Amino acid sequence: MNLDGLNDMQKKAVLHNEGPLLVLAGAGSGKTRVLTTSIAYLIEEKNVYPGDILAITFTNKAANEMKERVANLLRMDVTNLWIGTFHSICARILRMNIDKVGYDRNFTIYDTSDQKSLIKEVIEELNLKDEISPKEALNVISKAKNKSLDPEEFLSLNTYYTKGDLYYEIYKKYEQKKFYYNALDFDDLIGKVLYLFEVDKDTLEYYQNKFRYVFVDEYQDTNISQYELIKYFAKGYNNVTVVGDGDQSIYSFRGADISNILNFEKDFEDAEVIKLEQNYRSTSKILDTANLLIKNNEQRKDKLLWTANGDGEDVIYKPTNVESEESKFVVDKVNELLNEGYSYKDFAILYRTNAQSRPFEEAFMKNLIPYKVIGGLKFYDRKEIKDVISYLKVLVNPKDDLALKRIINVPKRGIGNKSIDNLEEIASKNNISIFELISAPEYEDLIPPRLRKLTCKFYEPLREIYENLLKYKIVDLINEVLDKSGYLHMLENSYSVEDRARIDNINEFISAASEYQEDNEEASIYDYLENLSLLSEIDKTDESKESISLMTMHSAKGLEFPVVFVVGLDEGLFPSKRSMDEGNIEEERRLFYVAITRAQERLFLTSSTARRSYGKVVYYKPSRFVDEIRPNLTIENKTYNSFVSREYEKQMTEDFMREKIRQGVLNKKLEKRDTGGESFKVGDKLDHNKWGRGTVVQVKESDEGNELVVAFDKKGLKKLNQNYAPIKKV
């Protein structure tokens, strides 16, 4: 294999074939290339069987990219390679072995929404609604699982929760119900494999003997459970290569433990460490700024990023007076760079919290700049999509009562909560699921006649599908379920605009399933549901439109953009007050380091002296991080006139006044102006005799005069009736 395209350190990592290896890979240093080339080298040059290699990543996107690269390097099918996320690898192992620990192999996987529904059910049964919220209970349980603590261990070791006994009861019952429903949550996927390895030595030895070489990406993001899993896999041959960067460890709130990468040499005897410090992404001035910042951290392994890309443009820092001035600066710079040849997709606005997106969204709307907010409501989290998936889950796994209870009365069939409780009680007494109760003839007499009649409305239309499940192709199955269940008919007969949008979403869901089916011809409905469950947040992002990306710095991890704006560099906002109170400044600094190293060519930083919080003005000083990198910054001194953001209902619009006149509330009369046949479209410029110059951003047609939404330079968004407002096109 030709390795001439690799630099010296990359080549050294690829040629390391035996024993533990830590690759400290700085941002943009080509770590994916090293991983994929290492795997391909083992197969081509060392004649290693592909099935003997395990490679673990954190996202499906990264796993798919790795598979494609290895396939391209080898010019061969890499189906036998075990490349996937921690969760998908564990799900694959459990599909073949979970019966050894008491589950059926057709288990379902609960996502966050499913978990919330079940935990709410548990809390209500324990009469703890006034004591603990579902959200906090799930958070505690997830943290316990990430530390490999079962309910009993959690109880014995708990020293930090004042309601520890109550959390224990919830945790215990939650686990019991999932077992009864033959379901796992995401944390279980790893936990059950660890338990399987602990109680079944034959299975453990099989996988330790199978995986001669183990590769782990983003090792700095591993938690305790993932760390234990890696140690299990690696024990067989001790050929474990982990790639990561402690300076980019930013997920402690998810359980990530930076000590895993800092202590690698202690955990794996005779480990070698190779540093990838040459950056292929950014310019020298951007990297020098990142290096200057991160050297202030004490918990790190020393490295220094450098590049052959040249110095590049200065890093610009713009201190502003108010947040509207901050967004104005961003808009002006975007327009300036667009004129220089950049595209909308080249820009990213990064902030510490989601709430900070508002002024930038308003500014982009006002200036007709297309944008997308990464991290909003995801497609697969929408009600209608979850409903359809629940129908599929019930057909695949008849023990999944949680999914059944979501859709047994959607569309409405007269099966209310009381009826569901009745069914659940009967099923529980007979040690069966609700679906088994209503579908099996032998249990028919157990259900009261009236309730039996109602449950038949649910099951009978689905009977043929259920009894012939594996004969259907994925798309055909979804269409049949939508038709026979009456779900699509329910939406089509609705006059609600919202339900029309839901039909469009279901259509998109079917399109996505069709694409999956084309790419995976042999896949079953089991495979498809598992694929949906394992989708990570970044995988769900729509990248099809040409637009500016707005996102938190956490969401930006793993991405890169030619132009990056890091906004809100105010002490108390970033670093956040909470991190300051908890003494977690080093992780905040790592987060800023990640944000800086997303930039390829241009980097702009902003702060603001005054911001609104709960309706009141709060004053800030620039972040300590600005002071730490100030020698590398060029200050932007240009001043901006701050503009007022949209006020919506606060200001009286022309239409509002007109309606009040009609009702006799106002005496002032608005006269219909002579438009001369003048019409407006989105993007048109106009003058208002009071509010000045504006841009039309929306047109709503009406027989009484089209309604215009206009973004005025100094007054924000206003709603006008073109037949009455004192405006003229310019």
Side-chain angles (χ1 to χ4, degrees):
M1 177 174 287
N2 188 347
L3 304 180
D4 291 344
L6 304 177
N7 65 40
D8 290 345
M9 290 297 102
Q10 291 174 332
K11 191 180 297 184
K12 185 177 180 182
V14 169
L15 295 176
H16 178 102
N17 304 136
E18 303 296 327
L21 172 65
L22 167 61
V23 180
L24 282 177
S29 62
K31 68 179 180 65
T32 304
R33 187 179 188 185
V34 168
L35 274 171
T36 53
T37 306
S38 296
I39 293 169
Y41 185 84
L42 286 173
I43 296 169
E44 186 164 305
E45 299 295 333
K46 297 295 182 178
N47 296 318
V48 175
Y49 175 63
D52 293 346
I53 298 173
L54 171 65
I56 309 176
T57 68
F58 271 83
T59 67
N60 292 320
K61 184 178 179 181
N64 290 333
E65 181 184 355
M66 196 178 294
K67 287 177 185 175
E68 288 175 11
R69 289 203 191 186
V70 173
N72 290 335
L73 284 169
L74 295 173
R75 295 184 178 84
M76 63 177 278
D77 178 27
V78 293
T79 305
N80 290 332
L81 270 172
W82 282 61
I83 298 179
T85 64
F86 279 97
H87 294 106
S88 65
I89 293 294
C90 288
R92 188 172 174 180
I93 291 172
L94 292 174
R95 284 290 172 208
M96 296 181 281
N97 299 280
I98 199 169
D99 53 319
K100 297 172 184 174
V101 289
Y103 283 78
D104 292 340
R105 292 187 181 186
N106 63 335
F107 62 87
T108 48
I109 302 171
Y110 284 172
D111 63 13
T112 304
S113 180
D114 296 325
Q115 288 178 267
K116 285 180 181 176
S117 297
L118 181 57
I119 211 76
K120 186 177 179 181
E121 186 179 291
V122 168
I123 288 173
E124 287 177 354
E125 288 180 9
L126 293 172
N127 295 315
L128 296 174
K129 275 201 303 184
D130 297 331
E131 295 281 341
I132 293 174
S133 73
K135 184 177 180 180
E136 64 181 293
L138 272 178
N139 185 44
V140 170
I141 291 171
S142 182
K143 285 183 177 179
K145 288 186 176 184
N146 286 336
K147 293 178 181 177
S148 294
L149 301 177
D150 63 25
E152 304 303 326
E153 291 169 325
F154 168 79
L155 182 64
S156 64
L157 295 175
N158 174 55
T159 57
Y160 39 91
Y161 295 116
T162 55
K163 301 176 182 177
D165 291 348
L166 300 183
Y167 287 127
Y168 162 73
E169 294 296 335
I170 294 170
Y171 187 6
K172 184 178 180 181
K173 194 171 186 68
Y174 172 73
E175 292 301 298
Q176 289 171 344
K177 274 186 168 285
K178 280 198 290 92
F179 182 76
Y180 184 71
Y181 293 160
N182 193 41
L184 305 177
D185 62 27
F186 267 80
D187 296 318
D188 287 332
L189 294 175
I190 296 174
K192 293 303 178 191
V193 171
L194 290 174
Y195 179 64
L196 172 67
F197 286 170
E198 184 181 327
V199 301
D200 191 322
K201 298 305 178 186
D202 290 340
T203 302
L204 172 61
E205 287 178 12
Y206 170 79
Y207 285 104
Q208 286 181 336
N209 290 329
K210 175 178 178 55
F211 298 130
R212 290 176 55 197
Y213 296 90
V214 178
F215 295 87
V216 185
D217 193 13
E218 304 288 6
Y219 190 65
Q220 78 281 347
D221 294 333
T222 54
N223 59 35
I224 293 174
S225 296
Q226 291 161 342
Y227 164 77
E228 290 177 354
L229 188 68
I230 293 162
K231 290 204 75 173
Y232 267 131
F233 285 137
K235 194 172 182 181
Y237 290 90
N238 204 34
N239 294 328
V240 55
T241 296
V242 302
V243 181
D245 181 4
D247 291 335
Q248 297 186 72
S249 179
I250 59 173
Y251 295 121
S252 64
F253 65 94
R254 293 183 189 168
D257 190 344
I258 192 174
S259 66
N260 290 347
I261 192 167
L262 296 179
N263 296 330
F264 183 81
E265 296 102 308
K266 295 179 183 177
D267 296 329
F268 295 91
E269 193 175 343
D270 299 324
E272 184 175 353
V273 178
I274 295 174
K275 298 179 183 180
L276 303 183
E277 297 171 298
Q278 183 175 357
N279 175 285
Y280 293 91
R281 174 188 299 155
S282 309
T283 62
S284 287
K285 288 187 176 180
I286 292 171
L287 295 181
D288 290 345
T289 304
N291 288 330
L292 185 61
L293 171 78
I294 204 63
K295 75 176 187 179
N296 290 282
N297 272 7
E298 294 180 2
Q299 270 196 310
R300 66 185 296 260
K301 289 180 176 291
D302 187 51
K303 68 178 187 312
L304 196 67
L305 296 181
W306 63 275
T307 187
N309 291 343
D311 288 346
E313 300 288 341
D314 289 353
V315 176
I316 304 296
Y317 168 54
K318 173 61 182 174
T320 66
N321 295 316
V322 292
E323 57 188 344
S324 59
E325 185 181 336
E326 187 179 36
S327 54
K328 172 68 172 170
F329 168 76
V330 171
V331 166
D332 283 2
K333 282 298 177 186
V334 166
N335 286 328
E336 181 183 311
L337 292 171
L338 286 171
N339 289 332
E340 292 180 14
Y342 285 97
S343 302
Y344 287 120
K345 69 178 186 304
D346 295 332
F347 297 92
I349 318 297
L350 309 184
Y351 35 76
R352 180 64 180 84
T353 64
N354 277 308
Q356 291 171 255
S357 72
R358 181 192 58 79
F360 299 98
E361 290 190 63
E362 291 181 0
F364 289 154
M365 288 173 62
K366 178 177 180 293
N367 289 273
L368 300 180
I369 294 175
Y371 71 92
K372 58 184 174 184
V373 179
I374 310 298
L377 183 65
K378 299 297 185 294
F379 181 81
Y380 292 99
D381 291 335
R382 293 172 182 168
K383 179 187 181 302
E384 59 277 13
I385 303 304
K386 292 194 71 64
D387 286 347
V388 176
I389 292 174
S390 291
Y391 268 104
L392 299 175
K393 283 182 176 179
V394 168
L395 294 171
V396 163
N397 177 14
K399 290 187 177 181
D400 191 349
D401 278 357
L402 190 65
L404 179 81
K405 285 185 279 189
R406 180 185 178 94
I407 44 85
I408 194 170
N409 200 41
V410 184
K412 291 189 182 301
R413 303 179 176 94
I415 308 174
N417 291 335
K418 191 173 180 181
S419 296
I420 293 173
D421 290 343
N422 194 0
L423 290 170
E424 191 169 30
E425 183 179 347
I426 297 169
S428 180
K429 284 180 180 177
N430 290 273
N431 201 30
I432 54 176
S433 71
I434 296 175
F435 189 89
E436 289 169 329
L437 173 67
I438 64 180
S439 63
E442 59 264 37
Y443 301 123
E444 189 173 314
D445 294 336
L446 297 177
I447 307 174
R450 180 184 169 278
L451 186 52
R452 180 70 189 171
K453 186 176 181 181
L454 295 177
T455 59
C456 283
K457 290 182 180 180
F458 169 77
Y459 176 66
E460 286 304 321
L462 300 173
R463 178 193 293 275
E464 185 177 349
I465 302 174
Y466 175 58
E467 292 176 349
N468 298 281
L469 187 65
L470 294 179
K471 294 181 180 178
Y472 289 93
K473 289 188 175 180
I474 296 168
V475 174
D476 294 338
L477 176 63
I478 295 170
N479 282 321
E480 279 290 288
V481 167
L482 286 167
D483 179 36
K484 295 292 195 295
S485 68
Y487 195 93
L488 195 57
H489 186 66
M490 170 190 72
L491 297 178
E492 289 172 340
N493 285 347
S494 170
Y495 291 98
S496 165
V497 174
E498 188 178 48
D499 284 341
R500 288 286 179 267
R502 285 183 169 143
I503 292 173
D504 292 338
N505 291 335
I506 286 175
N507 182 49
E508 185 61 29
F509 177 73
I510 294 170
S511 298
S514 177
E515 184 176 335
Y516 176 86
Q517 187 173 280
E518 287 177 11
D519 293 339
N520 304 270
E521 293 181 0
E522 301 302 317
S524 68
I525 187 62
Y526 296 90
D527 300 318
Y528 182 57
L529 286 176
E530 187 166 297
N531 175 68
L532 292 183
S533 298
L534 297 173
L535 279 172
S536 66
E537 293 305 301
I538 196 77
D539 293 323
K540 298 178 186 177
T541 300
D542 179 13
E543 298 177 349
S544 61
K545 294 182 179 178
E546 168 87 2
S547 55
I548 292 177
S549 297
L550 282 76
M551 70 188 85
T552 64
M553 299 176 206
H554 282 101
S555 297
K557 178 75 164 60
L559 305 178
E560 58 184 39
F561 300 89
V563 184
V564 169
F565 294 86
V566 184
V567 300
L569 287 168
D570 308 328
E571 191 76 2
L573 194 59
F574 187 50
S576 68
K577 186 177 185 305
R578 181 174 180 179
S579 68
M580 293 162 62
D581 293 342
E582 294 177 352
N584 205 13
I585 296 297
E586 290 211 355
E587 179 154 329
E588 291 284 284
R589 190 176 285 112
R590 292 195 293 269
L591 185 57
F592 188 26
Y593 177 83
V594 166
I596 289 173
T597 53
R598 299 311 95 198
Q600 295 171 294
E601 300 169 12
R602 302 297 303 270
L603 176 63
F604 299 91
L605 314 174
T606 65
S607 64
S608 181
T609 302
R611 297 181 187 278
R612 288 196 176 272
S613 178
Y614 298 101
K616 296 180 180 179
V617 175
V618 178
Y619 295 94
Y620 294 90
K621 64 179 182 179
S623 167
R624 70 184 69 188
F625 300 150
V626 172
D627 291 333
E628 291 172 0
I629 61 175
R630 197 173 289 275
N632 281 38
L633 303 179
T634 296
I635 311 299
E636 170 70 74
N637 291 316
K638 181 181 176 183
T639 58
Y640 291 85
N641 294 321
S642 59
F643 60 92
V644 182
S645 62
R646 57 182 170 176
E647 300 172 52
Y648 287 116
E649 304 303 327
K650 290 184 180 179
Q651 300 245 353
M652 193 178 294
T653 65
E654 298 287 354
D655 270 354
F656 179 79
M657 291 176 65
R658 186 161 169 263
E659 180 62 24
K660 291 300 180 184
I661 292 166
R662 184 180 296 144
Q663 296 171 8
V665 177
L666 293 177
N667 294 320
K668 180 181 176 182
K669 185 177 181 181
L670 280 178
E671 295 183 0
K672 186 173 181 179
R673 71 184 183 90
D674 181 10
T675 63
E678 185 177 57
S679 63
F680 292 88
K681 63 180 184 298
V682 172
D684 282 350
K685 303 291 183 182
L686 57 77
D687 271 334
H688 189 285
N689 67 0
K690 181 179 178 182
W691 296 328
R693 182 64 55 88
T695 305
V696 179
V697 297
Q698 188 180 75
V699 179
K700 186 176 181 181
E701 294 184 359
S702 170
D703 293 337
E704 297 181 358
N706 289 350
E707 181 184 276
L708 311 178
V709 177
V710 182
F712 287 97
D713 293 343
K714 297 182 179 179
K715 286 291 182 181
L717 292 178
K718 298 288 183 181
K719 189 187 294 182
L720 309 172
N721 186 297
Q722 75 170 45
N723 288 350
Y724 290 85
I727 57 177
K728 63 179 180 180
K729 188 185 291 187
V730 295

